[in-house]
Amino acid sequence: MSVNRPTLRPTLAAAFALATLWGANASAGELVVSAAASLTNAFKDVAAAYEKEHAGTKVVLNFGASDVLLQQIVKGAPADVFASADQKAMDKAVEEKAVKPASRVDFAANQVVLIVPTDSRANITALKDLTRDDVKRIAYGNPASVPVGRYTQGALQAAGLWDAVQAKSVLAQNVRQSLDYVSRGEVDAGFVFATDAAIMADKVKVAVRVPSQTPVTYPIAVTAREAAAKEAQSFVAYVLSPAGQEILSRYGFQKP
């Protein structure tokens, strides 16, 4: 049975309420970018660099699980750009007519890794080690709404370990929550992206690089919102530019 922590799990309803409140207070002239949680550090730098080259433009960043961000957009939250951590979330965005299909493009790639606290003595060196009795709690994103969770499920199913690991799961609402669980030693191990593990190298270490059944690629697209469509296209172009790609590379993202 999955272990859940109600105090750490904001509901979708709460996210929608926040999105509605945010929408009511959105300011003209802002470029709103909704991006996957794993992009947090890199996109903060991308936004800062973009603002320096585009005087008068304020980039407002909204980070979270890709599926939750999409539902916010569908429910009316202002967003001019949507960047997802997997293709499935962007496929849903196209189906919901939340983005302009012609603007969709892959801009980065990543890898799923299994991490443990730096002081761990569990000696986890392979996915099968997660089935041992001394490994009791394993964190990963909820596959229903978090891309890293879907990648994790696919890899574990391919290895024949999904049922065993699922019985020990602590579901996270985004990849950074899974990272936090491991960094605080609240779980024995957790699945995150390689770029997430890198930002907490002093608190977590990579135990296994997980072979993914689906390439871990990140698509970005201009949303259907017309308020800042031209600026949104410019931001996407910057992410794809050598300058934008250099920033992403600094944080460990690879070219798609």
Side-chain angles (χ1 to χ4, degrees), residues 90-154:
M90 190 61 77
D91 289 343
K92 291 180 183 177
V94 172
E95 291 172 8
E96 295 281 355
K97 295 181 169 53
V99 299
K100 297 178 179 178
S103 69
R104 176 178 179 172
V105 61
D106 293 344
F107 69 95
N110 214 332
Q111 182 180 24
V112 177
V113 295
L114 178 67
I115 59 173
V116 297
T118 52
D119 59 357
S120 173
R121 297 182 179 180
N123 193 31
I124 296 172
T125 60
L127 292 179
K128 65 180 180 181
D129 291 333
L130 298 177
T131 64
R132 296 195 327 243
D133 290 342
D134 62 314
V135 179
K136 301 182 183 301
R137 296 162 65 81
I138 304 164
Y140 56 83
N142 187 343
S145 59
V146 185
V148 73
R150 291 194 280 268
Y151 290 123
T152 297
Q153 181 177 0

Coordinates of all heavy atoms in Angstrom, one line a residue, residues 90-154:
M90 N 2.2 16.9 -22.7 CA 2.0 17.8 -23.8 C 1.0 17.3 -24.8 O 0.3 18.1 -25.4 CB 3.4 18.1 -24.5 CG 3.3 19.2 -25.5 SD 2.9 20.8 -24.8 CE 4.4 21.3 -24.0
D91 N 0.9 16.0 -24.9 CA -0.1 15.4 -25.8 C -1.5 15.8 -25.2 O -2.4 16.1 -26.0 CB 0.0 13.9 -25.8 CG 1.2 13.4 -26.6 OD1 1.8 14.2 -27.4 OD2 1.6 12.2 -26.4
K92 N -1.6 15.7 -23.9 CA -2.9 16.1 -23.3 C -3.2 17.6 -23.5 O -4.3 18.0 -23.8 CB -2.9 15.9 -21.8 CG -2.8 14.4 -21.4 CD -2.8 14.3 -19.9 CE -2.7 12.8 -19.4 NZ -2.6 12.7 -17.9
A93 N -2.1 18.4 -23.5 CA -2.3 19.9 -23.7 C -2.8 20.1 -25.1 O -3.7 21.0 -25.4 CB -1.0 20.6 -23.5
V94 N -2.3 19.4 -26.1 CA -2.8 19.5 -27.5 C -4.2 19.0 -27.6 O -5.1 19.7 -28.2 CB -1.9 18.7 -28.4 CG1 -2.5 18.6 -29.8 CG2 -0.5 19.2 -28.5
E95 N -4.6 17.9 -27.0 CA -5.9 17.4 -27.0 C -6.9 18.4 -26.4 O -8.0 18.5 -26.9 CB -6.0 16.1 -26.2 CG -5.3 14.9 -26.9 CD -5.2 13.7 -26.0 OE1 -5.9 13.7 -25.0 OE2 -4.5 12.7 -26.4
E96 N -6.5 19.1 -25.3 CA -7.3 20.0 -24.6 C -7.4 21.4 -25.3 O -8.0 22.3 -24.8 CB -6.9 20.2 -23.2 CG -7.0 18.9 -22.3 CD -8.4 18.7 -21.8 OE1 -9.3 19.6 -22.1 OE2 -8.7 17.7 -21.2
K97 N -6.6 21.5 -26.4 CA -6.5 22.8 -27.1 C -5.9 23.9 -26.2 O -6.3 25.0 -26.3 CB -7.8 23.2 -27.7 CG -8.3 22.2 -28.8 CD -9.7 22.7 -29.4 CE -10.1 22.0 -30.6 NZ -10.1 20.5 -30.5
A98 N -5.1 23.5 -25.3 CA -4.5 24.4 -24.4 C -3.2 25.1 -25.0 O -2.8 26.1 -24.5 CB -4.1 23.7 -23.1
V99 N -2.6 24.4 -26.0 CA -1.4 25.0 -26.6 C -1.6 25.0 -28.1 O -2.5 24.3 -28.7 CB -0.2 24.1 -26.3 CG1 0.1 24.2 -24.8 CG2 -0.3 22.7 -26.8
K100 N -0.7 25.7 -28.8 CA -0.7 25.8 -30.3 C 0.2 24.7 -30.8 O 1.4 24.7 -30.6 CB -0.2 27.1 -30.7 CG -1.1 28.3 -30.3 CD -0.6 29.6 -30.7 CE -1.5 30.8 -30.3 NZ -1.0 32.1 -30.7
P101 N -0.4 23.6 -31.4 CA 0.4 22.5 -31.8 C 1.6 22.8 -32.6 O 2.7 22.2 -32.5 CB -0.6 21.6 -32.6 CG -2.0 22.0 -32.0 CD -1.8 23.5 -31.7
A102 N 1.5 23.8 -33.5 CA 2.6 24.1 -34.4 C 3.8 24.7 -33.7 O 4.9 24.7 -34.2 CB 2.1 25.1 -35.5
S103 N 3.6 25.2 -32.5 CA 4.7 25.8 -31.7 C 5.4 24.7 -30.8 O 6.4 25.0 -30.3 CB 4.1 26.9 -30.8 OG 3.3 26.3 -29.7
R104 N 4.9 23.5 -30.8 CA 5.5 22.5 -29.9 C 6.8 22.0 -30.4 O 7.0 21.7 -31.6 CB 4.5 21.3 -29.9 CG 5.1 20.1 -29.1 CD 4.0 19.0 -29.1 NE 4.5 17.8 -28.4 CZ 3.7 16.8 -28.1 NH1 2.4 16.8 -28.4 NH2 4.2 15.7 -27.4
V105 N 7.8 22.0 -29.5 CA 9.2 21.6 -29.9 C 9.9 21.0 -28.7 O 9.7 21.4 -27.6 CB 10.0 22.7 -30.5 CG1 10.1 23.9 -29.5 CG2 11.3 22.3 -31.0
D106 N 10.7 20.0 -28.9 CA 11.5 19.4 -27.8 C 12.7 20.3 -27.6 O 13.4 20.7 -28.5 CB 11.9 18.0 -28.1 CG 10.8 17.0 -28.2 OD1 9.7 17.4 -27.7 OD2 10.9 15.9 -28.7
F107 N 13.0 20.6 -26.3 CA 14.2 21.5 -26.0 C 15.2 20.9 -25.1 O 16.3 21.5 -24.9 CB 13.6 22.8 -25.5 CG 13.1 22.7 -24.1 CD1 13.8 23.0 -23.0 CD2 11.7 22.3 -23.9 CE1 13.3 22.9 -21.7 CE2 11.2 22.2 -22.6 CZ 12.0 22.5 -21.5
A108 N 14.9 19.8 -24.5 CA 15.9 19.2 -23.5 C 15.6 17.8 -23.3 O 14.6 17.2 -23.6 CB 15.8 20.0 -22.2
A109 N 16.6 17.1 -22.7 CA 16.5 15.7 -22.4 C 17.1 15.5 -21.0 O 17.9 16.3 -20.5 CB 17.2 14.8 -23.4
N110 N 16.7 14.4 -20.4 CA 17.2 14.1 -19.0 C 17.3 12.6 -18.8 O 17.1 11.8 -19.7 CB 16.2 14.7 -18.0 CG 16.8 15.2 -16.7 OD1 17.9 14.7 -16.3 ND2 16.2 16.2 -16.1
Q111 N 17.6 12.2 -17.6 CA 17.6 10.8 -17.2 C 17.1 10.5 -15.8 O 17.2 11.4 -14.9 CB 19.1 10.2 -17.3 CG 19.2 8.7 -17.0 CD 20.6 8.3 -17.0 OE1 21.6 9.0 -16.8 NE2 20.8 7.0 -17.3
V112 N 16.4 9.4 -15.7 CA 15.8 9.1 -14.3 C 17.0 8.4 -13.6 O 17.7 7.5 -14.1 CB 14.6 8.1 -14.5 CG1 14.1 7.7 -13.1 CG2 13.5 8.8 -15.2
V113 N 17.1 8.7 -12.3 CA 18.1 8.1 -11.4 C 17.4 7.7 -10.1 O 16.4 8.3 -9.7 CB 19.3 9.0 -11.2 CG1 20.1 9.3 -12.4 CG2 18.8 10.3 -10.5
L114 N 18.0 6.7 -9.5 CA 17.6 6.3 -8.1 C 18.6 6.9 -7.2 O 19.8 6.7 -7.3 CB 17.5 4.8 -8.0 CG 17.2 4.2 -6.6 CD1 15.7 4.5 -6.3 CD2 17.4 2.7 -6.6
I115 N 18.1 7.6 -6.2 CA 19.0 8.3 -5.3 C 18.8 7.8 -3.8 O 17.7 7.3 -3.5 CB 18.9 9.8 -5.3 CG1 17.4 10.3 -4.9 CG2 19.3 10.4 -6.6 CD1 17.3 11.8 -4.8
V116 N 19.8 8.0 -3.0 CA 19.7 7.6 -1.6 C 20.4 8.8 -0.8 O 21.1 9.6 -1.4 CB 20.5 6.3 -1.3 CG1 19.8 5.1 -2.0 CG2 21.9 6.4 -1.7
P117 N 20.1 8.9 0.5 CA 20.8 9.9 1.3 C 22.3 9.7 1.2 O 22.8 8.5 1.1 CB 20.2 9.7 2.7 CG 18.9 9.0 2.5 CD 19.1 8.1 1.3
T118 N 23.1 10.7 1.3 CA 24.5 10.6 1.2 C 25.1 9.7 2.4 O 26.1 9.1 2.2 CB 25.2 12.0 1.3 OG1 24.7 12.7 2.5 CG2 24.9 12.8 0.1
D119 N 24.4 9.7 3.5 CA 24.9 8.8 4.6 C 24.2 7.5 4.7 O 24.4 6.8 5.7 CB 24.7 9.6 5.9 CG 23.2 9.9 6.2 OD1 22.4 9.6 5.3 OD2 22.9 10.4 7.3
S120 N 23.6 7.1 3.6 CA 22.9 5.8 3.5 C 23.9 4.6 3.6 O 24.9 4.6 3.0 CB 22.1 5.6 2.2 OG 21.6 4.3 2.1
R121 N 23.5 3.6 4.4 CA 24.3 2.4 4.5 C 23.6 1.2 3.9 O 23.9 0.1 4.2 CB 24.6 2.1 6.0 CG 25.5 3.2 6.6 CD 25.8 2.9 8.1 NE 26.6 4.0 8.7 CZ 27.1 3.9 9.9 NH1 26.8 2.9 10.7 NH2 27.8 4.9 10.4
A122 N 22.5 1.5 3.1 CA 21.7 0.4 2.6 C 22.4 -0.4 1.5 O 22.0 -1.5 1.1 CB 20.4 1.0 2.0
N123 N 23.5 0.2 0.9 CA 24.2 -0.5 -0.2 C 23.3 -0.9 -1.3 O 23.2 -2.0 -1.8 CB 24.9 -1.7 0.4 CG 25.9 -2.2 -0.6 OD1 26.5 -1.5 -1.4 ND2 26.2 -3.5 -0.6
I124 N 22.5 0.1 -1.8 CA 21.6 -0.1 -3.0 C 22.4 0.2 -4.2 O 22.9 1.3 -4.4 CB 20.4 0.8 -2.9 CG1 19.6 0.4 -1.7 CG2 19.6 0.7 -4.2 CD1 18.4 1.4 -1.4
T125 N 22.6 -0.8 -5.1 CA 23.4 -0.7 -6.3 C 22.6 -1.1 -7.5 O 23.1 -1.0 -8.6 CB 24.7 -1.5 -6.2 OG1 24.4 -2.8 -6.0 CG2 25.6 -1.0 -5.0
A126 N 21.5 -1.7 -7.4 CA 20.6 -2.1 -8.5 C 19.2 -2.0 -8.1 O 18.8 -2.0 -6.9 CB 21.0 -3.6 -8.8
L127 N 18.3 -1.9 -9.1 CA 16.9 -1.8 -8.8 C 16.3 -2.9 -8.0 O 15.5 -2.8 -7.1 CB 16.1 -1.7 -10.1 CG 16.3 -0.4 -11.0 CD1 15.5 -0.5 -12.2 CD2 15.9 0.8 -10.2
K128 N 16.9 -4.1 -8.2 CA 16.4 -5.3 -7.5 C 16.6 -5.2 -6.0 O 15.9 -5.8 -5.2 CB 17.0 -6.6 -8.0 CG 18.5 -6.7 -7.8 CD 19.0 -8.0 -8.4 CE 20.6 -8.1 -8.2 NZ 21.1 -9.3 -8.8
D129 N 17.6 -4.3 -5.6 CA 17.9 -4.2 -4.1 C 16.7 -3.5 -3.4 O 16.6 -3.6 -2.2 CB 19.1 -3.3 -3.9 CG 20.4 -4.0 -4.4 OD1 20.4 -5.3 -4.3 OD2 21.3 -3.3 -4.8
L130 N 15.8 -2.9 -4.2 CA 14.6 -2.2 -3.6 C 13.7 -3.2 -3.0 O 12.8 -2.9 -2.2 CB 13.9 -1.3 -4.6 CG 14.8 -0.2 -5.2 CD1 13.9 0.6 -6.2 CD2 15.2 0.8 -4.1
T131 N 13.8 -4.5 -3.4 CA 12.9 -5.5 -2.9 C 13.3 -6.1 -1.5 O 12.6 -6.9 -0.9 CB 12.7 -6.6 -3.9 OG1 14.0 -7.3 -4.1 CG2 12.3 -6.1 -5.3
R132 N 14.5 -5.7 -1.1 CA 15.0 -6.2 0.2 C 14.2 -5.8 1.4 O 13.6 -4.7 1.3 CB 16.5 -5.8 0.4 CG 17.5 -6.3 -0.6 CD 18.9 -6.2 -0.2 NE 19.1 -5.0 0.7 CZ 19.9 -4.0 0.3 NH1 20.6 -4.0 -0.9 NH2 20.1 -3.0 1.1
D133 N 14.1 -6.6 2.4 CA 13.3 -6.3 3.6 C 13.8 -5.0 4.3 O 13.0 -4.3 4.9 CB 13.3 -7.5 4.5 CG 12.5 -8.7 4.0 OD1 11.7 -8.5 3.0 OD2 12.7 -9.8 4.5
D134 N 15.1 -4.7 4.2 CA 15.6 -3.6 5.0 C 15.3 -2.3 4.2 O 15.5 -1.2 4.8 CB 17.1 -3.7 5.2 CG 17.9 -3.8 3.9 OD1 17.5 -4.5 3.0 OD2 18.9 -3.1 3.8
V135 N 14.8 -2.3 3.0 CA 14.4 -1.1 2.2 C 12.9 -1.0 2.4 O 12.2 -1.8 1.8 CB 14.9 -1.2 0.8 CG1 14.4 0.0 0.0 CG2 16.4 -1.4 0.6
K136 N 12.5 0.0 3.1 CA 11.1 0.0 3.5 C 10.3 1.1 2.9 O 9.1 1.0 2.7 CB 10.9 0.1 5.0 CG 11.6 -1.0 5.8 CD 11.4 -0.9 7.3 CE 12.1 -2.1 8.0 NZ 11.7 -3.4 7.6
R137 N 10.9 2.2 2.5 CA 10.2 3.4 2.0 C 10.9 3.9 0.7 O 12.1 4.3 0.8 CB 10.1 4.5 3.0 CG 9.3 4.1 4.3 CD 9.5 4.9 5.5 NE 9.1 6.3 5.3 CZ 7.8 6.7 5.4 NH1 6.9 5.8 5.8 NH2 7.5 8.0 5.2
I138 N 10.1 4.1 -0.3 CA 10.7 4.5 -1.6 C 9.8 5.6 -2.2 O 8.6 5.4 -2.4 CB 10.8 3.3 -2.6 CG1 11.6 2.1 -2.0 CG2 11.4 3.8 -3.9 CD1 11.4 0.8 -2.7
A139 N 10.4 6.7 -2.5 CA 9.7 7.9 -3.0 C 9.8 8.0 -4.5 O 10.8 7.7 -5.1 CB 10.2 9.2 -2.4
Y140 N 8.7 8.3 -5.1 CA 8.6 8.7 -6.5 C 7.4 9.5 -6.8 O 6.4 9.4 -6.1 CB 8.7 7.4 -7.4 CG 7.7 6.4 -7.2 CD1 6.4 6.5 -7.8 CD2 8.0 5.3 -6.4 CE1 5.4 5.5 -7.5 CE2 7.0 4.3 -6.2 CZ 5.8 4.4 -6.8 OH 4.8 3.4 -6.5
G141 N 7.4 10.2 -7.9 CA 6.2 11.0 -8.3 C 5.0 10.1 -8.6 O 5.1 9.0 -9.1
N142 N 3.8 10.6 -8.2 CA 2.6 9.9 -8.5 C 2.5 9.8 -10.1 O 2.4 10.8 -10.8 CB 1.4 10.8 -8.0 CG 0.1 10.0 -8.1 OD1 0.0 9.1 -8.9 ND2 -0.9 10.5 -7.4
P143 N 2.4 8.6 -10.6 CA 2.3 8.4 -12.0 C 1.1 9.0 -12.7 O 1.1 9.3 -13.9 CB 2.3 6.8 -12.2 CG 3.0 6.3 -10.9 CD 2.6 7.3 -9.9
A144 N 0.1 9.2 -11.9 CA -1.2 9.8 -12.4 C -1.0 11.2 -12.8 O -1.8 11.7 -13.6 CB -2.3 9.7 -11.3
S145 N 0.0 11.9 -12.3 CA 0.1 13.3 -12.6 C 1.6 13.8 -12.7 O 1.8 15.0 -13.1 CB -0.6 14.2 -11.5 OG 0.0 13.9 -10.2
V146 N 2.5 13.0 -12.4 CA 3.9 13.4 -12.4 C 4.8 12.6 -13.4 O 4.9 11.4 -13.3 CB 4.6 13.3 -11.0 CG1 6.0 13.9 -11.0 CG2 3.7 13.9 -10.0
P147 N 5.4 13.3 -14.4 CA 6.1 12.6 -15.4 C 7.2 11.6 -14.9 O 7.3 10.5 -15.4 CB 6.8 13.7 -16.3 CG 5.7 14.8 -16.2 CD 5.2 14.7 -14.8
V148 N 8.0 12.1 -13.9 CA 9.0 11.2 -13.4 C 8.4 9.9 -12.8 O 9.0 8.8 -12.8 CB 9.9 11.9 -12.3 CG1 9.2 12.1 -11.0 CG2 11.2 11.1 -12.1
G149 N 7.2 10.0 -12.3 CA 6.5 8.8 -11.8 C 6.1 7.9 -12.9 O 6.2 6.6 -12.8
R150 N 5.8 8.4 -14.1 CA 5.4 7.6 -15.2 C 6.7 6.9 -15.8 O 6.6 5.7 -16.1 CB 4.7 8.4 -16.3 CG 3.3 8.9 -15.9 CD 2.6 9.4 -17.1 NE 2.9 10.8 -17.5 CZ 2.3 11.9 -17.0 NH1 1.3 11.7 -16.2 NH2 2.6 13.1 -17.4
Y151 N 7.8 7.6 -15.8 CA 9.0 7.0 -16.3 C 9.4 5.9 -15.3 O 9.9 4.9 -15.7 CB 10.1 8.1 -16.3 CG 10.0 9.1 -17.4 CD1 10.0 10.5 -17.1 CD2 9.9 8.7 -18.8 CE1 9.9 11.4 -18.1 CE2 9.8 9.7 -19.8 CZ 9.8 11.0 -19.4 OH 9.7 12.0 -20.4
T152 N 9.3 6.2 -14.0 CA 9.7 5.2 -13.0 C 8.8 3.9 -13.1 O 9.4 2.8 -13.1 CB 9.5 5.8 -11.6 OG1 10.4 6.9 -11.4 CG2 9.8 4.8 -10.5
Q153 N 7.5 4.1 -13.3 CA 6.7 3.0 -13.4 C 7.0 2.1 -14.6 O 7.1 0.9 -14.5 CB 5.2 3.4 -13.5 CG 4.2 2.3 -13.6 CD 2.8 2.7 -13.6 OE1 2.5 3.9 -13.6 NE2 1.8 1.8 -13.7
G154 N 7.3 2.8 -15.7 CA 7.7 2.0 -16.9 C 8.9 1.2 -16.7 O 9.0 0.1 -17.2

